[in-house]
Amino acid sequence: MVKDLEQYSAWRHGVMSALKRYQAWIASAELADAATEQRLARTLARLSDDKLSVAFVAEFSRGKSELINAIFFADYGQRILPSAAGRTTMCPTELLYDPAWPPCIRLLPIETRAENLSTSDYREQASAWTMLPLDLEAPESMHDVFRQVCLTRHVSVEEAKRYGLYDENDPDMAATLDDDGLVEISLWRHAIINFPHPLLKQGLVILDTPGLNAIGTEPELTLNLIPHAHAVLFILAADTGVTKSDIEVWRQHIGSGAGRLVVLNKIDSMWDELRSDEEVNSAISRQQEHAAHMLSLEPRQVFPVSAQKALVAKITNEAGLLQKSRLGELERALFDELIPAKKDIVRKQLAHDLHTLSSAQQALIGARMRGIVEQLHELKSLRGKNQSVIAHMVKRVEAEKKEFDSSLFKLQATRAVFTRLSTELYTNMGMDILRDHVLAVRDAMARSRFTLGMREAVKAFFAGIRQDLLASEHKIDEIRDMMDVMYRKFSAEHGLSLAPPMAFTLDKYRDEIADIEDIYDKQFGTMTLLTTSRVVLIERFFDSIASSVKRCFKAANADAEAWLKVIMAPLEAQIRQHKEQLKHRQASIQRIHDATDDLEQKIEAFEQSQAELEQLKVQLSELSGAISIAINAEFVELDAAA
């Protein structure tokens, strides 16, 4: 596993190195503009921050934390995550490594559920978290700190309801009260463990969920963490099989898409010295087939394992026991599917970025080359000409320059329209209009204490968001059409080589909003709302909806801003280039007019410039090719990468 992730990390760093060489070269060749620099910076940042996330989802007592220990932390010779009979992990727990933080565990108090903020909103508020350091030299001490994720406290029913953790109309809830009528809840809402494990250092993020019930009560899991995980391991127990709650969570929150694996844990409970190995294996196969049937999967998609025995086998180096635990098959399936799938996603984005970058630089070199060819043609045509002909050419270039300056004056009017349309675009998809939508829903929720009324408010919220994005899309089309006309006008009138303006769409963000709405509809279907009082939970869920939509809008705004810069950049770059070329042509012909002896020297100088540009084209192709090779590399030598 470490080697697989190191290979993936080495691949990313190889691509980053090729991109940085490209970045340095185009800067030295004066082929970089603001748009190119911005795109390169964003691509490099995306590669640098790239993570691989794996979520573990299960009801309590399925051996979920033990499975994490067995797969990732057996090399430490002990359990890293607390694992015992009954409920252990009580709050969603992320294991990752961020060098900006010391080894520590950050804990978000459960009381934050009473506020109108999601877990994501709190991530940037360091003061909201309790931080406990990890002593890497003292495993026992570190294990004690990790036990924070197990801690609970007892609160009144009213307090639990305020946090959305108690539904008085749920008949099963009354059984959870203790003798004093109190509800046991987690001490913490969320935990982030910053741990310098080799796998985590390579960008792996592990999410340990606190049981199926938490998926419904902690919207952050439902809306963000689980849907965005690159792999989800859904864990069942061989001795209990597939329960009704298992089926519900599988259908509503996980599904059988790419990167979704089902684990049938605790097969050691079926080991029996009084039965032959064939009989035991047959019994395990029946449970495997039954689980697959209940979840509408193929049996090969369900992996029987014994996490506990696998952990013991790895710590004690018992190869036979490790093989009997069957963990190896699950590990191979996980990493064989996880890394290539993630790599494919990154590759597609990189290929698109490279094409856009290379096209922009090729166009700029082409514009320079065209200007030199034109000037060479003019200068060579002056050989043997008299002063009157040269004077006529001076006047012709002057007239061409005046005509171009007139076009630039007209361009200013287009800029004004461009600015107005850009402002209207930001108005339709700006953060202010989103804030108004959110406030309207919260106001409606405050007025209506009936879940059906609250559902209508959320439904209106999504309808408003869709309308805003549609209006923004119309503005994007209007801007692109206007720029297309301007591109064609300058190409036709002044011979500029301009490709059509870069396309941009909000489809990606409309799809994200639709996914969020779909999750909400699944969580709070009409029948559920009519029969169950879940007012506080809906309010808390909407906080996470608002946070997710806010992140989506921020990303859409950032992409729109980048596009608005990029869409003008090729035209502006070629305008500057053309303007400089006209200026040089005018000055060059004027000097020839004043001293014809300079003609051959000028021709020789331009021929040298032409040869240098040809060399630039070759170098650009080589650097682009190096990036393509790095992107498409299947295997990276770790020593070479180091």
Side-chain angles (χ1 to χ4, degrees):
M1 288 182 294
V2 174
K3 184 178 179 181
D4 286 342
L5 275 172
E6 284 178 344
Q7 290 285 354
Y8 178 73
S9 182
W11 173 78
R12 284 193 300 113
H13 284 97
V15 176
M16 289 174 66
S17 296
L19 280 169
K20 287 176 180 176
R21 288 193 294 272
Y22 184 94
Q23 185 181 39
W25 181 83
I26 63 173
S28 65
E30 298 182 350
L31 291 171
D33 54 27
T36 298
E37 285 292 347
Q38 181 191 58
R39 185 178 290 277
L40 275 167
R42 293 180 68 181
T43 301
L44 286 167
R46 191 167 59 244
L47 279 169
S48 179
D49 296 337
D50 183 59
K51 302 291 184 185
L52 282 162
S53 58
V54 181
F56 288 74
V57 180
E59 187 57 279
F60 67 89
S61 293
R62 298 292 194 266
K64 173 171 46 61
S65 297
E66 191 79 327
L67 183 62
I68 296 175
N69 285 324
I71 294 177
F72 300 106
F73 300 117
D75 290 345
Y76 281 81
Q78 64 172 23
R79 293 183 174 92
I80 293 297
L81 290 182
S83 177
R87 302 190 67 171
T88 50
T89 305
M90 295 297 294
C91 67
T93 302
E94 289 180 81
L95 292 97
L96 49 81
Y97 181 67
D98 182 349
W101 288 84
C104 64
I105 179 170
R106 284 181 286 158
L107 301 153
L108 186 64
I110 195 67
E111 288 80 6
T112 58
R113 285 181 63 97
E115 305 297 327
N116 291 330
L117 293 173
S118 71
T119 304
S120 293
D121 294 324
Y122 282 109
R123 283 180 184 269
E124 298 177 4
Q125 298 183 24
S127 60
W129 300 73
T130 297
M131 189 181 86
L132 301 175
L134 294 176
D135 185 354
L136 302 180
E137 303 300 322
E140 289 298 327
S141 170
M142 191 165 58
H143 185 73
D144 289 341
V145 175
F146 283 157
R147 289 196 61 79
Q148 286 286 332
V149 301
C150 309
L151 300 184
T152 62
R153 67 186 181 94
H154 290 79
V155 301
S156 66
V157 169
E158 285 304 312
E159 185 173 356
K161 286 169 64 177
R162 193 163 76 250
Y163 302 150
L165 297 175
Y166 189 87
D167 183 356
E168 59 190 3
N169 287 342
D170 185 341
D172 296 328
M173 278 291 182
T176 65
L177 300 178
D178 66 9
D179 295 339
D180 298 320
L182 299 178
V183 183
E184 184 183 22
I185 64 172
S186 173
L187 187 62
W188 308 106
R189 180 180 182 182
H190 198 87
I192 299 176
I193 299 175
N194 196 55
F195 190 64
H197 183 277
L199 288 169
L200 305 182
K201 280 185 173 183
Q202 298 297 337
L204 183 69
V205 177
I206 301 169
L207 173 64
D208 186 8
T209 59
L212 303 185
N213 184 56
I215 295 178
T217 58
E218 180 49 73
E220 185 76 4
L221 291 171
T222 310
L223 285 168
N224 296 318
L225 296 177
I226 293 175
H228 294 155
H230 300 104
V232 177
L233 272 67
F234 187 57
I235 300 138
L236 310 170
D239 52 356
T240 58
V242 185
T243 66
K244 183 179 179 181
S245 60
D246 288 331
I247 296 173
E248 182 181 350
V249 170
W250 173 258
R251 290 176 178 171
Q252 288 193 4
H253 302 296
I254 301 174
S256 56
R260 272 48 183 163
L261 305 176
V262 175
V263 181
L264 188 65
N265 193 22
K266 300 188 177 183
I267 59 170
D268 54 291
S269 66
M270 303 176 71
W271 296 352
D272 188 345
E273 290 79 1
L274 300 180
R275 291 192 294 174
S276 67
D277 288 346
E278 289 76 13
E279 290 175 314
V280 170
N281 290 333
S282 177
I284 292 173
S285 295
R286 285 195 298 272
Q287 281 290 72
Q288 180 183 8
E289 290 170 2
H290 179 260
H293 173 74
M294 296 297 290
L295 299 178
S296 301
L297 298 172
E298 295 293 328
R300 59 182 174 77
Q301 294 174 280
V302 177
F303 294 86
V305 302
S306 170
Q308 193 270 336
K309 299 304 180 187
L311 179 62
V312 170
K314 285 186 175 183
I315 292 174
T316 59
N317 292 317
E318 294 184 54
L321 182 60
L322 181 60
Q323 183 175 2
K324 192 175 181 181
S325 75
R326 304 195 190 187
L327 187 67
E329 296 173 28
L330 173 63
E331 290 177 335
R332 283 190 293 274
L334 172 60
F335 283 90
D336 286 350
E337 185 165 334
L338 172 64
I339 294 177
K342 174 63 173 172
K343 199 172 183 180
D344 188 52
I345 293 170
V346 176
R347 268 183 176 151
K348 288 178 181 177
Q349 181 63 52
L350 285 170
H352 172 74
D353 289 347
L354 177 60
H355 174 74
T356 304
L357 286 167
S358 181
S359 297
Q361 269 67 67
Q362 291 284 5
L364 203 52
I365 290 177
R368 289 184 187 178
M369 182 69 77
R370 188 173 57 257
I372 286 177
V373 169
E374 289 175 357
Q375 291 181 71
L376 266 174
H377 177 73
E378 285 181 341
L379 291 176
K380 288 179 178 178
S381 70
L382 294 178
R383 284 171 169 159
K385 302 295 183 184
N386 58 35
Q387 287 291 318
S388 63
V389 173
I390 296 174
H392 175 72
M393 294 189 70
V394 170
K395 290 180 181 178
R396 192 180 72 183
V397 174
E398 286 178 350
E400 190 176 337
K401 186 174 182 298
K402 286 180 181 178
E403 183 183 353
F404 188 69
D405 289 341
S406 175
S407 294
L408 292 182
F409 182 76
K410 294 175 184 176
L411 179 62
Q412 295 306 315
T414 303
R415 287 182 187 275
V417 177
F418 179 83
T419 301
R420 175 178 60 80
L421 291 174
S422 299
T423 302
E424 292 173 0
L425 170 60
Y426 286 130
T427 300
N428 289 327
M429 59 185 285
M431 304 311 293
D432 289 343
I433 196 168
L434 175 61
R435 179 200 61 205
D436 293 342
H437 284 309
V438 171
L439 290 176
V441 176
R442 288 192 174 133
D443 183 56
M445 285 181 168
R447 292 196 310 269
S448 174
R449 304 311 294 172
F450 296 97
T451 53
L452 192 57
M454 299 175 83
R455 179 183 172 84
E456 289 301 316
V458 178
K459 186 177 179 181
F461 169 79
F462 281 113
I465 294 297
R466 285 195 301 271
Q467 188 61 38
D468 291 337
L469 290 178
L470 184 61
S472 299
E473 193 75 71
H474 290 326
K475 288 298 173 187
I476 289 169
D477 291 342
E478 199 173 340
I479 292 170
R480 189 178 60 246
D481 291 344
M482 181 191 70
M483 293 307 301
D484 186 49
V485 171
M486 184 56 62
Y487 271 49
R488 284 190 279 107
K489 179 181 176 66
F490 269 82
S491 295
E493 293 182 358
H494 305 291
L496 303 186
S497 177
L498 288 164
M502 190 179 80
F504 177 62
T505 177
L506 295 175
D507 287 351
K508 170 186 173 183
Y509 301 104
R510 286 209 300 268
D511 290 344
E512 285 185 17
I513 299 296
D515 288 342
I516 295 170
E517 186 175 12
D518 184 53
I519 291 170
Y520 171 79
D521 286 338
K522 286 181 178 179
Q523 189 75 11
F524 301 104
T526 304
M527 292 305 295
T528 303
L529 292 175
L530 290 173
T531 58
T532 309
S533 175
R534 306 174 75 183
V535 173
V536 176
L537 178 57
I538 296 172
E539 289 177 341
R540 295 289 77 79
F541 205 90
F542 180 72
D543 295 338
S544 282
I545 287 174
S547 177
S548 297
V549 174
K550 181 180 177 182
R551 282 197 303 276
C552 184
F553 262 56
K554 277 187 175 180
N557 274 267
D559 279 355
E561 182 181 0
W563 176 71
L564 290 172
K565 290 179 180 178
V566 169
I567 198 172
M568 290 288 284
L571 178 59
E572 290 177 335
Q574 292 222 25
I575 284 173
R576 286 194 302 270
Q577 189 75 33
H578 193 68
K579 196 172 182 179
E580 283 294 310
Q581 289 169 359
L582 285 174
K583 181 180 176 182
H584 288 312
R585 283 171 60 194
Q586 188 179 27
S588 180
I589 295 174
Q590 184 63 52
R591 281 194 293 270
I592 300 301
H593 180 262
D594 296 337
T596 55
D597 292 342
D598 291 342
L599 179 59
E600 292 303 325
Q601 293 178 2
K602 288 292 178 186
I603 290 174
E604 184 179 345
F606 277 110
E607 286 177 340
Q608 178 63 31
S609 297
Q610 185 179 23
E612 290 172 357
L613 279 177
E614 290 290 354
Q615 185 60 33
L616 279 182
K617 287 177 67 176
V618 172
Q619 290 176 307
L620 180 64
S621 296
E622 288 175 350
L623 286 165
S624 298
I627 298 175
S628 293
I629 291 171
I631 290 173
N632 294 310
E634 292 296 336
F635 181 82
V636 179
E637 287 287 351
L638 294 178
D639 292 340

